[in-house]
Amino acid sequence: MSKPLETVTAPAPATSIPAGYEKRLMITAGRASRELGAKIADRLGLALTDAGLKTFSDGEVYCRYAESIRGADLFIVQSVCGSQREGLTVNDALMELLLMVHAAKHASAHRVIAVTPWYGYSRQDKKSAPREPISARLVAELLEVAGIDRLVTMDLHAGQLQGFFSKTVDHMTAMPILTQFVEDRLGDEELAILAPDAGRVKLVRNFARKVGAPYALMEKERPAQGVAEIGRVIGDVKDKTAVIVDDIIATGGTLNAAAQTVLDEGATKVYAVATHGLFSGNAYEILSEGPLSGIVVTDTIPLHEGAPDIIRQLTCADILEDSIRRIFTDDSVSEIFAGENQLF
Ligand code: R5P
């Protein structure tokens, strides 16, 4: 016969928190961001947690963490971009990120933080024509449904994308890396900093202020998707070294057209800097045959093979490492940029 409830002895309460218990920081990376993830982990003094990623023969993606992540703050580094080396498309990378988040949530991680420096689909952030999707919003919803607690991202195509999330978004910027590079390498030249379209004006004004140079704007039209036409330069570039500042280089069409216009208006040389180097389609060919003297991007997106010599890649691992450490310890993240990370 079972005992009456009041006579059942309750188990002895566990002794509060075990001595030496500490919140755990763990970091893992998807296959689209293995190198960047490894650099960040190295700077944090940690090893990347193996997420057991693979693709089945039918193309489905799979994930299983090789060790317990229960109770940990798990940072998942994965840009939403394809990887030629890993044989991943942009959609594979997105699905992989969603599965990694979902698996972490259901493996009882304390917080699951997607570190997605390049937010794929970010350019589809509104309806530009009837019956189009707002894909950037759908990606936000997918990430939240999968189980993110927050998102760390970098130089969003439009800062307003943060509003697609109900979870916290830490919007970081690579601008300090790029301004430093321009100051170090081109600081002795008479510079003009250029925005290739109206959307970049605020960014470029801040950039120009940082490097102590004037700025100018360009009129850009997109007669069709993936086609860029640059009208004229508003501002003075004559006899100057021009630096075009953009967030993304995709097909390279914008940059080539912009660089040619700037040279036609009297600039002596033209360089370009951007946070995200997608280099899609035949961008390498177009850019290496074009008028630019040099292009600098960061490693938010891995360069695929065959990058021409004019492309230089700088790492954003230090900024992301600092951000992750501060998020883990609940410190201010905007302090990294002296509060100037909401650039556009
Ligand atoms: C557009 O608004 C963006 O800031 C970039 O200028 C654009 O995505 C670059 O694309 P592409 O290299 O294909 O011209």
Side-chain angles (χ1 to χ4, degrees):
M1 202 174 78
S2 60
K3 289 184 189 173
L5 269 182
E6 59 273 21
T7 65
V8 175
T9 314
T15 49
S16 60
I17 295 180
Y21 175 85
E22 281 176 5
K23 209 172 113 179
R24 275 195 303 160
L25 190 169
M26 295 180 82
I27 178 165
T28 186
R31 287 176 290 178
S33 294
R34 273 203 211 279
E35 277 178 35
L36 179 60
K39 282 184 199 162
I40 299 170
D42 189 51
R43 283 159 170 77
L44 287 165
L46 297 171
L48 278 179
T49 294
D50 179 7
L53 297 164
K54 63 180 177 186
T55 303
F56 291 114
S57 54
D58 65 353
E60 288 181 5
V61 182
Y62 174 82
C63 151
R64 179 173 181 252
Y65 293 101
E67 58 189 297
S68 171
I69 51 177
R70 181 176 295 274
D73 273 2
L74 181 70
F75 292 81
I76 302 174
V77 184
Q78 173 88 315
S79 277
V80 177
C81 60
S83 165
Q84 192 187 51
R85 193 176 317 150
E86 301 282 348
L88 290 184
T89 66
V90 55
N91 295 322
D92 293 334
L94 172 61
M95 192 64 199
E96 187 170 278
L97 174 61
L98 295 171
L99 292 177
M100 291 172 81
V101 170
H102 185 76
K105 199 78 207 163
H106 287 273
S108 303
H110 176 57
R111 291 195 293 179
V112 182
I113 300 108
V115 181
T116 303
W118 161 244
Y119 186 98
Y121 286 97
S122 56
R123 288 168 292 175
Q124 298 181 47
D125 59 357
K126 59 182 172 302
K127 282 193 183 188
S128 304
R131 300 177 296 282
E132 281 183 349
I134 304 172
S135 312
R137 176 171 179 138
L138 177 61
V139 171
E141 288 171 352
L142 290 170
L143 284 168
E144 293 201 342
V145 168
I148 57 160
D149 290 291
R150 62 199 298 147
L151 174 80
V152 179
T153 188
M154 210 166 222
D155 290 328
L156 286 167
H157 184 56
Q160 298 90 314
L161 256 73
Q162 293 168 77
F164 290 163
F165 289 84
S166 59
K167 303 288 183 182
T168 306
V169 176
D170 293 299
H171 188 198
M172 318 313 290
T173 176
M175 284 306 135
I177 305 169
L178 299 174
T179 51
Q180 190 63 54
F181 185 86
V182 169
E183 281 180 313
D184 292 348
R185 299 303 169 95
L186 302 172
D188 295 338
E189 308 197 19
E190 201 184 338
L191 296 175
I193 311 299
L194 280 114
D197 58 51
R200 299 301 115 199
V201 173
K202 198 173 158 200
L203 162 75
V204 163
R205 195 182 52 208
N206 286 330
F207 196 104
R209 198 180 293 144
K210 279 263 183 291
V211 300
Y215 69 97
L217 320 176
M218 279 177 272
E219 284 180 343
K220 174 168 141 185
E221 296 273 345
R222 278 221 185 267
Q225 279 177 348
V227 181
E229 276 177 9
I230 301 286
R232 62 191 183 100
V233 179
I234 305 166
D236 181 21
V237 291
K238 193 156 173 41
D239 300 327
K240 296 189 175 162
T241 298
V243 180
I244 301 169
V245 182
D246 212 343
D247 56 334
I248 308 163
I249 303 171
T251 62
T254 299
L255 273 189
N256 257 8
Q260 193 52 57
T261 304
V262 174
L263 287 174
D264 292 346
E265 301 236 355
T268 49
K269 276 179 288 178
V270 192
Y271 294 87
V273 301
T275 305
H276 310 292
L278 271 173
F279 300 114
S280 53
N282 55 349
Y284 283 172
E285 271 169 72
I286 291 177
L287 290 167
S288 55
E289 287 163 13
L292 282 156
S293 300
I295 299 168
V296 179
V297 292
T298 76
D299 55 357
T300 56
I301 299 169
L303 285 181
H304 49 90
E305 273 173 31
D309 292 342
I310 56 161
I311 297 177
R312 165 108 192 240
Q313 196 185 46
L314 307 176
T315 187
C316 59
D318 295 301
I319 286 179
L320 291 173
E321 181 267 337
D322 203 2
S323 312
I324 289 173
R325 206 166 23 78
R326 284 165 182 268
I327 290 166
F328 179 65
T329 55
D330 296 322
D331 269 339
S332 165
V333 165
S334 64
E335 262 178 20
I336 304 172
F337 309 97
E340 289 185 20
N341 50 324
Q342 308 299 339
L343 285 174
F344 46 92

